[in-house]
Amino acid sequence: EPEVTQTPSHQVTQMGQEVILRCVPISNHLYFYWYRQILGQKVEFLVSFYNNEISEKSEIFDDQFSVERPDGSNFTLKIRSTKLEDSAMYFCASSVTSPPGTQYFGPGTRLLVL
Amino acid sequence: GENVEQHPSTLSVQEGDSAVIKCTYSDSASNYFPWYKQELGKRPQLIIDIRSNVGEKKDQRIAVTLNKTAKHFSLHITETQPEDSAVYFCAASTSNFGNEKLTFGTGTRLTIIP
């Protein structure tokens, strides 16, 4: 069964550094999402992406964040200048065609900002 | 925006008994309600979902009910087994074409006592 994949599984970075989190959505999916989960808390929506543009973003997704689909398979989340409070598990998700579509989550990238 | 409340935060049941987790939502336009199971350090896994044109859905030992008037939905797990132990998240979504962001509840830690 196809699955969403994410790399790296863990990332440790210094405050102020840039990080890029990578996702490969399920191949026939058209809608892509990033969520984050701070340890012990609920999953929070960051951004949705469709047809090569952002559909919606949350207030968490400020100017330090950007997303890109650089080719036909990858979907990336960039944090330009990381802060301590960016430490969290970041999940990519994708869904197929017509709404409402079931969202399938990747295994996550655990980001630790020191 | 949408707000999803989830209760209880923790739940312990004897193996073989039933477990019920309840969620309420605030946005009457929400029309898709998935439930995710998350084991420690793992991705959220969809276990069942319901759309607003349906009042109840069942899949083996798992069932979900939806009351649109009261804006609440519930997860029912019967004949619980040790492998049901996990954190369960409800979510709600308002389908706009190209954007189906999920708003999650705060989670219920379910422990099955052998």
Side-chain angles (χ1 to χ4, degrees):
Chain A
E1 186 177 325
E3 287 190 330
V4 177
T5 59
Q6 289 184 244
T7 54
S9 57
H10 294 79
Q11 173 103 40
V12 181
T13 190
Q14 294 291 326
M15 189 170 58
Q17 294 296 304
E18 175 183 287
V19 295
I20 298 175
L21 310 183
R22 292 184 167 80
C23 168
V24 178
I26 296 173
S27 62
N28 62 333
H29 287 192
L30 300 176
Y31 301 84
F32 313 112
Y33 305 84
W34 283 101
Y35 293 85
R36 79 170 187 190
Q37 186 177 33
I38 294 171
L39 190 63
Q41 297 186 23
K42 67 178 178 180
V43 178
E44 300 175 287
F45 169 79
L46 291 178
V47 66
S48 57
F49 191 87
Y50 169 73
N51 200 27
N52 282 320
E53 59 184 29
I54 290 174
S55 309
E56 186 170 347
K57 56 186 179 181
S58 72
E59 57 192 26
I60 302 168
F61 194 90
D62 61 23
D63 292 344
Q64 295 301 312
F65 290 85
S66 63
V67 289
E68 193 178 33
R69 188 155 163 82
D71 53 43
S73 59
N74 289 285
F75 180 50
T76 62
L77 174 69
K78 182 193 290 186
I79 309 174
R80 242 177 296 277
S81 178
T82 50
K83 308 185 191 73
L84 296 177
E85 55 265 35
D86 293 328
S87 294
M89 180 76 97
Y90 288 80
F91 291 106
C92 172
S94 68
S95 66
V96 68
T97 62
S98 303
T102 299
Q103 292 186 28
Y104 296 91
F105 282 72
T109 293
R110 183 166 296 284
L111 176 65
L112 179 59
V113 182
L114 302 176
Chain B
E2 174 68 281
N3 183 49
V4 177
E5 303 275 345
Q6 184 172 347
H7 300 280
S9 56
T10 60
L11 179 62
S12 296
V13 300
Q14 291 287 337
E15 183 178 352
D17 287 351
S18 296
V20 180
I21 303 170
K22 299 181 179 181
C23 289
T24 60
Y25 61 98
S26 61
D27 188 348
S28 55
S30 287
N31 57 7
Y32 174 62
F33 307 92
W35 285 88
Y36 286 85
K37 175 183 179 183
Q38 187 178 33
E39 296 175 11
L40 191 63
K42 301 284 183 64
R43 74 184 81 193
Q45 295 264 22
L46 179 77
I47 55 171
I48 196 166
D49 56 12
I50 192 167
R51 305 181 195 281
S52 60
N53 58 345
V54 174
E56 184 173 356
K57 183 177 178 181
K58 191 173 180 182
D59 182 4
Q60 299 183 327
R61 296 187 296 109
I62 295 172
V64 57
T65 59
L66 171 64
N67 183 327
K68 286 175 57 180
T69 304
K71 288 191 277 189
H72 69 70
F73 56 113
S74 301
L75 177 72
H76 304 252
I77 306 174
T78 59
E79 301 171 22
T80 52
Q81 300 167 3
E83 53 265 37
D84 294 329
S85 293
V87 179
Y88 290 80
F89 290 96
C90 63
S93 171
T94 304
S95 290
N96 297 314
F97 188 77
N99 171 35
E100 300 161 17
K101 71 172 188 181
L102 294 174
T103 301
F104 282 83
T106 48
T108 296
R109 181 173 300 281
L110 175 63
T111 302
I112 306 303
I113 304 165

